Amino acid sequence: MKTADLSGYLIYPNPENPTLTSHVVGRDHTGKEVEVDVVTERGLTVYLNKQEIVTLMTLGDHPEYLALGFLLNQNMLRNDDVVTGIDYDEELEVAIVRTQRETNYEDKLKKKVRTSGCAQGTVFGDIMEKFDTITLNAETQLKTSWLYQLSRQINTTPSIYQKAGAIHGCVLCHQAQPLVYMEDVGRHNAIDKIAGYMFKHNISPEDKCFYTTGRLTSEMVIKTVQMRIPILISRSGFTAWGVDLARKAGLTLIGRAKGRKFVALAGFERLNYDADLSQIADEPKKSGRRNAD
Amino acid sequence: MKTADLSGYLIYPNPENPTLTSHVVGRDHTGKEVEVDVVTERGLTVYLNKQEIVTLMTLGDHPEYLALGFLLNQNMLRNDDVVTGIDYDEELEVAIVRTQRETNYEDKLKKKVRTSGCAQGTVFGDIMEKFDTITLNAETQLKTSWLYQLSRQINTTPSIYQKAGAIHGCVLCHQAQPLVYMEDVGRHNAIDKIAGYMFKHNISPEDKCFYTTGRLTSEMVIKTVQMRIPILISRSGFTAWGVDLARKAGLTLIGRAKGRKFVALAGFERLNYDADLSQIADEPKKSGRRNAD
């Protein structure tokens, strides 16, 4: 398949960055020596002002976006907070986010919920804090022709995944255009990097949709709703609670999106079946995208 | 493909259990109404004696094994601990593990590391605590003929994955025989259920191998070494740090194991290339097993 046109992206993966993969020597199934690329995995300890919040295992690119997005998605950083600076020390693997507002999440840090799959390892405090109060934009549409264009473009965008596998991708999209494509060894980090990017560059979520390679668990749904993105699309499957929450929040939830097939389990009203299916190919065997994990 | 012979298993998935999946109605890519099965996802709050440790999001089967295994893999429960009882309340979604030894992990609970991918959301305290002190059994072999038999048997064992997707599987194996096959929405839970089962039924790890559907991250390697299992096989890929740790610990690490292909990146000395590759089929398109996430 030919490579996607990257001109419409705001940001996309850089598989040429030598720090994101390493080249290792092993043996193949015949016993022959083989060289393979494997993805980098390193720690990043996030501080909010004086307080150590968490240590994340990450691919290592965009640490500032990751730190910002993690704190936002944990409701530790507010959308109206003034970030006075982010200090990142590559050697110490530390990112310190400084805000005008004084912060203290001692109590919140005590309460841990470990969530399913790759969505996110831990949420602190009450992840449902804001969930019930959020109304998603009902006007935002998803034309099926856009969905098929998105899949094709994302699958043909050069990525660390294509180079080394074992990594998740998340993409913020507007209609048929992928805008912000982040990858990480932890899918939760890819999402958080996008949240950080949106915060830093003041990108509004209401007219966007989210494309992910990972499963649609309760926690993926909660994060998408918290980010106020009304449409969530995945190549993977669903959990029952994820479906329940999507229906409660009025989120359009689409899974098992491969080739011309997909299944929508919530928010049907945003779907516009405009695509001429006779023109949509089934997914080629070498689509360059399987599931990461 | 015909279904695997299940007689050699100690325990395997029960896709017929009605509490593990639900039947939901949605729309397919043509706008037609479709019914699909989706996996259950519910909370389980784990206590060790008087102390609340964590809330896990889980499929919900085998809560006692999950609670035990989680505590073991966090080094909060010792192999020589006497468990005086496990109280599970399905309605409250709480499992309380009681030990003869008095326990208190207040400090440990304060230190959180969020790890990559699905391996495990959080580890408390110093996950490397025991890592450097462990020596894995050098005598344990992996014949490639066993590896091919394991993949074929596991892929043809009826599972929640085959019914509803969006779930991870982990299997403890001895030579060519799968023994303990656990699934969960969080792969870390599937591993912990196996650890709990091994503890409860006193199964020795030294001559076993581990087969997983998920990626070979640092944390997967650390858990396998902590469990003293000398061989780790995955259908998925590697991270660089996972490879480093496997080489340090002398763990045999095999990834990208599909059909006749695989790549070994550590512990080559345990590998015995006895299989006649001309007899091994490439993985059929419908192998019944893709990656869960």
Side-chain angles (χ1 to χ4, degrees), chain A:
Chain A
M1 278 169 108
K2 74 185 222 303
T3 299
D5 169 17
L6 304 180
S7 60
Y9 276 105
L10 297 170
I11 184 168
Y12 49 82
N14 176 14
E16 300 318 310
N17 180 338
T19 69
L20 303 184
T21 56
S22 23
H23 205 63
V24 294
V25 175
R27 307 261 178 90
D28 73 4
H29 57 290
T30 67
K32 201 168 88 275
E33 195 172 284
V34 284
E35 299 190 358
V36 295
D37 290 310
V38 294
V39 294
T40 303
E41 182 190 16
R42 60 165 63 103
L44 178 71
T45 300
V46 177
Y47 284 75
L48 178 56
N49 296 311
K50 292 190 186 61
Q51 194 163 42
E52 177 177 343
I53 304 297
V54 73
T55 297
L56 310 172
M57 296 304 308
T58 172
L59 178 64
D61 60 344
H62 309 302
E64 291 89 353
Y65 292 138
L66 176 55
L68 276 178
F70 176 81
L71 295 170
L72 283 164
N73 282 336
Q74 299 294 340
N75 298 319
M76 292 181 181
L77 193 65
R78 304 191 200 126
N79 280 302
D80 61 2
D81 267 325
V82 177
V83 173
T84 53
I86 306 175
D87 305 336
Y88 170 58
D89 186 315
E90 186 168 3
E91 209 171 315
L92 298 178
E93 298 183 334
V94 166
I96 305 172
V97 176
R98 303 186 192 282
T99 59
Q100 223 162 57
R101 177 172 62 96
E102 273 196 32
T103 55
N104 181 3
Y105 291 104
E106 200 55 52
D107 300 344
K108 193 167 185 155
L109 290 172
K110 288 208 181 102
K111 175 82 183 145
K112 288 164 294 294
V113 179
R114 209 174 57 156
T115 54
S116 305
C118 297
Q120 181 170 297
T122 318
V123 292
F124 301 116
D126 177 9
I127 191 179
M128 298 293 283
E129 236 164 63
K130 292 195 295 184
F131 187 84
D132 301 328
T133 69
I134 294 172
T135 312
L136 298 170
N137 187 349
E139 304 310 308
T140 310
Q141 264 207 337
L142 179 66
K143 294 186 174 176
T144 54
S145 58
W146 297 345
L147 189 156
Y148 293 126
Q149 287 178 66
L150 286 175
S151 305
R152 196 168 54 248
Q153 283 202 73
I154 292 164
N155 293 341
T156 55
T157 297
S159 62
I160 321 267
Y161 177 85
Q162 289 178 4
K163 186 177 181 185
I167 195 162
H168 275 293
C170 278
V171 191
L172 181 75
C173 310
H174 179 251
Q175 298 183 351
Q177 178 60 58
L179 297 174
V180 180
Y181 184 165
M182 296 285 185
E183 292 181 292
D184 205 281
V185 283
R187 187 187 61 192
H188 45 274
N189 295 334
I191 297 166
D192 290 346
K193 285 175 191 171
I194 292 178
Y197 187 95
M198 292 171 75
F199 177 84
K200 184 81 182 291
H201 301 282
N202 218 328
I203 295 173
S204 71
E206 290 78 8
D207 59 343
K208 306 297 190 299
C209 83
F210 225 148
Y211 181 102
T212 168
T213 59
R215 288 172 295 162
L216 300 167
T217 59
S218 60
E219 200 265 342
M220 263 306 283
V221 168
I222 290 166
K223 286 173 83 72
T224 306
V225 170
Q226 277 187 326
M227 289 169 74
R228 293 178 165 65
I229 295 168
I231 300 163
L232 176 57
I233 304 164
S234 172
R235 298 176 49 82
S236 301
F238 308 86
T239 70
W241 197 20
V243 174
D244 290 347
L245 288 172
R247 289 175 174 183
K248 280 196 186 71
L251 175 74
T252 296
L253 190 69
I254 293 173
R256 305 183 185 176
K258 294 182 181 183
R260 85 163 61 79
K261 295 208 175 83
F262 67 81
V263 175
L265 291 185
F268 308 122
E269 62 284 352
R270 290 193 188 84
L271 270 173
N272 175 341
Y273 290 86
D274 71 323
D276 173 359
L277 290 179
S278 68
Q279 299 306 307
I280 309 299
D282 249 332
E283 185 164 282
K285 258 191 94 173
K286 287 252 169 277
S287 70
R289 170 58 75 184
R290 298 175 310 280
N291 297 336
D293 199 11

Side-chain angles (χ1 to χ4, degrees), chain B residues 9-272:
Chain B
Y9 276 105
L10 297 170
I11 185 167
Y12 49 82
N14 176 13
E16 300 319 311
N17 180 338
T19 69
L20 304 184
T21 56
S22 20
H23 206 62
V24 295
V25 175
R27 307 261 178 90
D28 73 3
H29 59 290
T30 67
K32 201 167 87 279
E33 195 172 283
V34 285
E35 300 189 358
V36 295
D37 290 310
V38 294
V39 294
T40 304
E41 182 189 16
R42 61 167 60 105
L44 178 70
T45 300
V46 177
Y47 284 74
L48 178 55
N49 297 309
K50 292 190 188 60
Q51 195 163 42
E52 178 178 341
I53 304 296
V54 73
T55 297
L56 310 172
M57 296 305 307
T58 172
L59 177 64
D61 61 343
H62 308 304
E64 292 88 353
Y65 292 139
L66 176 55
L68 275 178
F70 176 82
L71 295 170
L72 283 164
N73 282 336
Q74 299 295 339
N75 298 319
M76 291 181 181
L77 193 65
R78 303 190 202 129
N79 280 301
D80 61 3
D81 268 323
V82 177
V83 174
T84 53
I86 306 175
D87 305 336
Y88 170 59
D89 185 315
E90 185 166 5
E91 210 171 313
L92 298 179
E93 299 185 333
V94 165
I96 305 171
V97 176
R98 305 187 191 282
T99 61
Q100 220 163 59
R101 177 172 63 96
E102 273 194 32
T103 55
N104 179 5
Y105 291 104
E106 200 54 51
D107 301 343
K108 191 167 186 153
L109 290 171
K110 287 208 182 100
K111 175 82 181 142
K112 289 164 293 296
V113 180
R114 210 173 58 156
T115 55
S116 305
C118 296
Q120 179 169 299
T122 318
V123 291
F124 300 119
D126 177 8
I127 191 180
M128 298 293 282
E129 236 164 63
K130 293 195 299 183
F131 187 84
D132 300 329
T133 69
I134 295 172
T135 312
L136 299 170
N137 187 349
E139 304 312 307
T140 310
Q141 263 207 341
L142 180 67
K143 295 185 176 177
T144 54
S145 58
W146 297 344
L147 188 156
Y148 294 125
Q149 287 178 67
L150 286 175
S151 304
R152 194 168 57 249
Q153 283 201 74
I154 291 165
N155 294 339
T156 55
T157 297
S159 63
I160 321 263
Y161 176 85
Q162 289 178 3
K163 185 178 183 186
I167 195 162
H168 275 293
C170 278
V171 190
L172 180 76
C173 310
H174 178 249
Q175 298 185 349
Q177 178 59 58
L179 297 174
V180 179
Y181 184 165
M182 296 286 185
E183 292 180 292
D184 205 282
V185 284
R187 185 185 63 190
H188 45 275
N189 295 334
I191 298 165
D192 290 345
K193 286 176 191 170
I194 292 178
Y197 186 96
M198 291 171 76
F199 177 84
K200 184 79 182 292
H201 300 282
N202 218 328
I203 295 172
S204 71
E206 290 78 9
D207 59 344
K208 305 298 189 300
C209 83
F210 225 149
Y211 181 101
T212 168
T213 59
R215 289 171 294 163
L216 299 167
T217 60
S218 60
E219 201 265 341
M220 263 306 283
V221 168
I222 291 165
K223 285 173 84 70
T224 307
V225 171
Q226 276 187 327
M227 289 169 72
R228 294 179 163 65
I229 295 168
I231 299 163
L232 177 56
I233 304 165
S234 173
R235 298 176 49 82
S236 300
F238 307 86
T239 70
W241 196 21
V243 174
D244 290 346
L245 288 173
R247 288 176 175 183
K248 280 195 187 72
L251 175 73
T252 296
L253 191 69
I254 293 173
R256 305 183 185 174
K258 293 182 180 182
R260 82 163 64 80
K261 294 207 177 83
F262 68 81
V263 176
L265 290 186
F268 309 122
E269 63 283 353
R270 289 193 189 85
L271 270 173
N272 175 342

